[in-house]
Amino acid sequence: MSASRRSGTTDELGPDESGEPGGSDLLAALLDGMDAALCAFDADGVVTHWNREAERILGWTAAEAVGRHGFAGWAVRSADAEEVQARLMSAMRAPGRQVHEFALVTKGGGRVLVRTQSAAVRGPDGKPAGVYCAFSEVHAQIDLERSIALSEALFEDASWGVVLVDADLRPAVVNAHAARALGVGRTSVLGRPLGELLAQGVEELEAALTHVLAEGAPPAPAEMWVTVRTREGEKRRCWRSGFLRLASPLAEEPVPLGVGWLFEDVTEAKHGEQEAALLRFRTNQLHRAARAAAECEDPAEAATVHLDFALAGFADHALVDRVADRPRADGAEGPGPVRLVRLAATPAGAPGPSLLTGAAGLPVRYPEGHPALQCVERGGTVRADAGSVAAERAREWALERQWPGDAVHALCAVLRSRGRTLGVVTFLRGPGRSRFERSDTAYAEDVAVRIATALDLAETVRERAAE
């Protein structure tokens, strides 16, 4: 008896016909190792092959299936047998593969909806010699199709970036959204080191990918700030990223194939959160300063209290200069050029509370065109920056303006009360901080109003005490 009739899994192929010893056993092992159920019919419709996956789905063993004529009377209902057999055998006369869905009957009497792919098997002369049929449960097939459809949708239509990174931390597949976020084409990014795509943030990203390869996916998304190289220049972005370790389903033990990296650009949302948090902090500082200043007997001391509270998180140094001559009303001509006397300043060497100075009343040696003088003359806020220069040149720039040597950004806000210009408050930032922006200007002007009110009150108190 041939190998197929003994095992019930292979065709009538003996050892001498296989071309090498054990050919039938090899074919049987290959068929039984398939993930899909497989059966085959000869030209007369007799079952010649039946693998273990088919046995698992329907319960019929190979010994019970091989040799039967079609599915009639055992694997399909009698009412459906003729139609099912005709549709399966029609593959002998049709080109390519045919896909059908049938309700098959299990050995226990239950029904299973399967999806089949059938095609003709041709003999040595090229004529159809039978039909093979691969089938699987419809729900399993649908799950597979959903997985494939999900993968295709992620790499084509997803509204967030998807990147598959191989074990060498190089992009292997990139969707359209991720390519736009990286500022490159989908194909040009493949296989390139991440350092060529990002100007900053590469170390943090590679550390996260390495951790996922070794330990698995993190329990929550991570927010990463990166700098992307674009045609318009470098742009700093915040990406909320999720990571998945990819392992081969074909290996006995999980073999890492890489990491699935999904990210969403949340830069604008983060900026909004930061601005809201900064606004809350500054509002609280103004409130706390007002309460502390209310407890000061000397209004001049209250002015320094407002200055100290404003300095926290806002600037590195602060100066308050008052107009040396009597404050002038708007529209009135002054007796000469504006002269400013230092009233209060933060310590230049070490951090500490602002100190009242200027008891001698000597004017500060501000050169012509100094930002503080411009602020008083214009009656409005003035910003100044050292610019992109060497550290030594920036120091010279600050010292020329009678400021601490580490100052590179300045913001001067005018002190006005009761329609009069009383002086100017200057906030200074070092090289480790960003330049002053519009939101900083609004905050500085709020602080200036409170300082000006305190100085105006101090002047009134002195005049009354002199009477």
Side-chain angles (χ1 to χ4, degrees), residues 63-363:
E64 295 170 322
V66 172
R68 291 178 179 265
H69 189 277
F71 286 155
W74 62 289
V76 297
R77 296 189 308 173
S78 300
D80 301 330
E82 184 176 349
E83 179 187 0
V84 169
Q85 188 71 8
R87 292 169 70 180
L88 286 175
M89 300 307 293
S90 66
M92 290 182 60
R93 301 179 298 276
R97 293 179 299 175
Q98 289 189 325
V99 178
H100 303 286
E101 288 187 3
F102 302 127
L104 299 183
V105 178
T106 66
K107 187 175 182 180
R111 300 182 69 196
V112 178
L113 185 63
V114 300
R115 179 171 296 175
T116 67
Q117 295 186 37
S118 55
V121 177
R122 302 189 180 276
D125 57 358
K127 295 182 179 180
V131 173
Y132 82 85
C133 174
F135 63 92
S136 61
E137 297 176 78
V138 166
H139 71 82
Q141 183 71 19
I142 291 176
D143 287 344
L144 175 61
E145 291 179 1
R146 284 173 178 161
S147 298
I148 296 173
L150 175 61
S151 299
E152 292 181 351
L154 286 175
F155 287 108
E156 294 296 336
D157 305 322
S159 59
W160 56 88
V162 182
V163 180
L164 297 189
V165 182
D166 62 22
D168 295 326
L169 306 185
R170 295 173 182 252
V173 185
V174 178
N175 76 340
H177 186 95
R180 289 193 300 270
L182 293 168
V184 293
R186 292 184 64 179
T187 55
S188 60
V189 70
L190 303 182
R192 295 173 58 184
L194 294 173
E196 295 182 6
L197 306 174
L198 301 175
Q200 295 180 3
V202 178
E203 295 81 2
E204 183 181 5
L205 177 58
E206 289 184 342
L209 295 172
T210 302
H211 173 81
V212 173
L213 281 172
E215 305 292 338
E223 292 179 353
M224 297 183 176
W225 284 94
V226 300
T227 301
V228 184
R229 296 187 179 97
T230 65
R231 295 178 180 177
E232 296 77 19
E234 295 184 352
K235 293 185 178 180
R236 187 161 173 78
R237 314 301 297 172
C238 181
W239 290 343
R240 180 173 292 137
S241 303
F243 302 94
L244 299 170
R245 181 167 62 178
L246 306 179
S248 173
L250 303 179
E252 293 184 3
E253 296 182 0
V255 177
L257 298 178
V259 177
W261 170 32
L262 293 83
F263 65 90
E264 179 185 13
D265 193 323
V266 293
T267 307
E268 301 305 323
K270 293 301 294 182
H271 283 163
E273 292 175 4
Q274 292 172 353
E275 291 175 1
L278 182 61
L279 180 60
R280 287 194 301 270
F281 173 75
R282 290 179 175 177
T283 301
N284 289 336
Q285 286 296 97
L286 291 174
H287 175 72
R288 294 172 60 196
R291 292 177 61 87
E295 301 300 323
C296 297
E297 295 183 5
D298 183 0
E301 182 184 353
T304 62
V305 168
H306 283 292
L307 192 65
D308 291 334
F309 274 94
L311 204 63
F314 182 68
D316 297 313
H317 306 285
L319 313 169
V320 176
D321 300 322
R322 62 178 176 85
V323 176
D325 298 322
R326 184 171 180 175
R328 298 167 293 170
D330 288 344
E333 295 185 2
V338 176
R339 296 185 304 163
L340 297 175
V341 176
R342 181 66 43 81
L343 180 65
T346 53
S354 302
L355 303 175
L356 290 171
T357 61
L362 299 177

Side-chain angles (χ1 to χ4, degrees), residues 12-25:
E12 294 187 9
L13 179 64
D16 296 337
E17 302 174 75
S18 67
E20 60 180 89
S24 297
D25 294 335

